[in-house]
Amino acid sequence: MDRAEIERKEQPPATIPPGVNVAVRDFDNADAARVMGETVLAVVRELSRTMDLSRLDGVTIGIDYDAALASVDRGMPGLRPLSRSDTKEMQGVAMSPAVIRNGEVRTHLVFNAELLVPLIWHGEGVTEEDRAFTFGIVAHECAHVQVTADKERAIPDCRLGRRIEGYERAIMFQMAEICWDEYAVCRISAPFAASQNESHALTVVACAEVARDQANDAIRSYRVHGDIDRLIQEAGQPVCGPMKAVAYLLGGMDGTDADWADHADTRSTIEAADYADLVDDLHEELRRLWDTRGSWEPTLDTFVGLETIAKATFELNGIFFHTDAKGQCRIDVPFTLHTMPA
């Protein structure tokens, strides 16, 4: 038995399903497309030795990333079309949407082809740091496969296509779910994403610095148009942005035994934006969920602590939800000096 065979026997088995398809779109060069697909599949297969990718549906890679997202069959009618994060603070380059296949929730990975070039190009202009960064993003998306599968098994009431009853809860649960997903994913992928913490710290700063001003702008517009759904949509992104962004960072920090001393400038920005207490509460609750995963009760109340933090985040920014015993929701937006209409 040679050394290579011994090493193969010592490796954990791959968990990627047999026959997983990698679709490469928009390439004029067929050889480049083939190499791209084979390389990404090999990376995913290796990652599946340390992550549970048994619920991976497939991989789509496209030069036209928006078209690649639109091409994914979610397996269920009526779902909103996939769209990338597209703000000054956050630009999406990869996604891991849940899909339904034969009644089972799976995860499909979608990548912007430009992001993956360092995996196949070893010439001028691409560094080892570029390749490591790209590998980390692929690992991040693969970790979503495991996290989505674990959550779907643990909390069947939040599986794809299920409706969360109650206006307030639907909004708060959405934020809670995102925070948990990204925390867990970054903690799992931390060994393969050495530079993710620095990148996520920059995103936290970018989101926190504009959160209050953008939320106030949305509230001032609401004073004129009076559409509460529009307010929640327009204010919700900047209000929740710092908390969603910090969930990534907290997962990476816990996955690498880092703390706020390693990100002092980011912590200062969080404190200046008045998010520090909320971030500390979020960190405590995410750690509790991590430590108890595998023994969660199969109920939506699993994330109730995160929902409470989400509600407090809206309140910090001047938006107050009140749901009565009959499930009717009222939203108050008190006038302040900074939210008076122009």
Side-chain angles (χ1 to χ4, degrees):
M1 184 182 298
D2 61 23
R3 180 181 178 85
E5 187 175 356
I6 292 172
E7 289 179 351
R8 282 195 299 271
K9 285 183 176 294
E10 290 177 348
Q11 286 183 318
T15 59
I16 186 173
V20 164
N21 181 57
V22 179
V24 182
R25 301 165 44 93
D26 315 319
F27 277 60
D28 294 330
N29 186 319
D31 287 338
R34 176 184 55 77
V35 171
M36 175 71 82
E38 290 175 351
T39 301
V40 171
L41 182 60
V43 169
V44 172
R45 179 174 290 109
E46 285 308 302
L47 287 167
S48 81
R49 299 184 189 280
T50 54
M51 301 178 191
D52 180 5
L53 302 191
S54 59
R55 294 285 185 94
L56 176 65
D57 173 63
V59 182
T60 298
I61 302 164
I63 293 175
D64 185 339
Y65 180 51
D66 295 309
L69 288 173
S71 73
V72 176
D73 176 12
R74 305 291 301 281
M76 177 178 291
L79 297 175
R80 279 187 298 178
L82 297 173
S83 61
R84 70 166 88 200
S85 299
D86 187 14
T87 67
K88 182 180 179 181
E89 297 76 37
M90 300 182 76
Q91 286 289 320
V93 293
M95 189 179 292
S96 45
V99 300
I100 297 287
R101 299 290 184 256
N102 299 318
E104 182 179 76
V105 175
R106 291 181 170 267
T107 300
H108 194 99
L109 306 185
V110 188
F111 295 99
N112 185 329
E114 183 178 359
L115 162 75
L116 301 174
V117 168
L119 295 179
I120 64 170
W121 176 250
H122 295 272
E124 185 178 353
V126 175
T127 66
E128 286 303 316
E129 288 76 15
D130 294 330
R131 274 184 279 279
F133 180 78
T134 298
F135 189 89
I137 292 180
V138 175
H140 178 98
E141 299 308 322
C142 284
H144 270 291
V145 180
Q146 176 176 322
V147 170
T148 296
D150 288 346
K151 183 180 60 183
E152 194 271 338
R153 286 188 287 260
I155 315 175
D157 284 347
C158 75
R159 72 179 308 195
L160 181 65
R162 291 289 181 92
R163 178 183 174 85
I164 306 296
E165 295 296 333
Y167 186 85
E168 176 184 326
R169 184 160 212 188
I171 292 168
M172 303 311 163
F173 190 90
Q174 182 182 38
M175 178 177 162
E177 187 174 26
I178 291 172
C179 287
W180 164 252
D181 285 0
E182 299 303 346
Y183 173 84
V185 162
C186 288
R187 190 158 176 171
I188 291 168
S189 62
F192 311 100
S195 63
Q196 71 171 350
N197 289 0
E198 289 72 18
S199 176
H200 294 153
L202 292 174
T203 302
V204 172
V205 169
C207 291
E209 286 181 337
V210 301
R212 186 62 51 79
D213 287 343
Q214 290 183 353
N216 286 345
D217 284 344
I219 293 172
R220 282 193 292 270
S221 294
Y222 164 71
R223 306 290 188 208
V224 178
H225 63 68
D227 184 335
I228 198 68
D229 291 325
R230 178 179 164 187
L231 167 67
I232 299 306
Q233 181 178 8
E234 293 180 352
Q237 181 171 300
V239 164
C240 300
M243 299 296 278
K244 293 177 182 178
V246 85
Y248 287 76
L249 178 57
L250 294 174
M253 286 168 57
D254 286 350
T256 55
D257 294 324
D259 58 31
W260 284 118
D262 300 297
H263 300 284
D265 290 344
T266 303
R267 179 69 188 193
S268 295
T269 302
I270 290 169
E271 291 173 352
D274 294 329
Y275 272 75
D277 289 343
L278 289 171
V279 166
D280 291 342
D281 290 343
L282 178 67
H283 200 180
E284 181 180 355
E285 181 62 13
L286 288 171
R287 281 175 162 172
R288 187 192 68 78
L289 287 167
W290 177 270
D291 291 340
T292 59
R293 69 197 191 284
S295 60
W296 294 350
E297 292 294 325
T299 168
L300 292 177
D301 287 345
T302 296
F303 287 167
V304 71
L306 295 178
E307 292 176 52
T308 299
I309 295 167
K311 184 174 181 178
T313 304
F314 276 95
E315 291 174 353
L316 175 69
N317 289 274
I319 301 173
F320 296 81
F321 288 75
H322 308 278
T323 300
D324 64 23
K326 296 181 179 180
Q328 298 299 308
C329 181
R330 185 185 82 253
I331 298 175
D332 293 331
V333 190
F335 284 89
T336 68
L337 179 64
H338 299 291
T339 60
M340 296 291 288

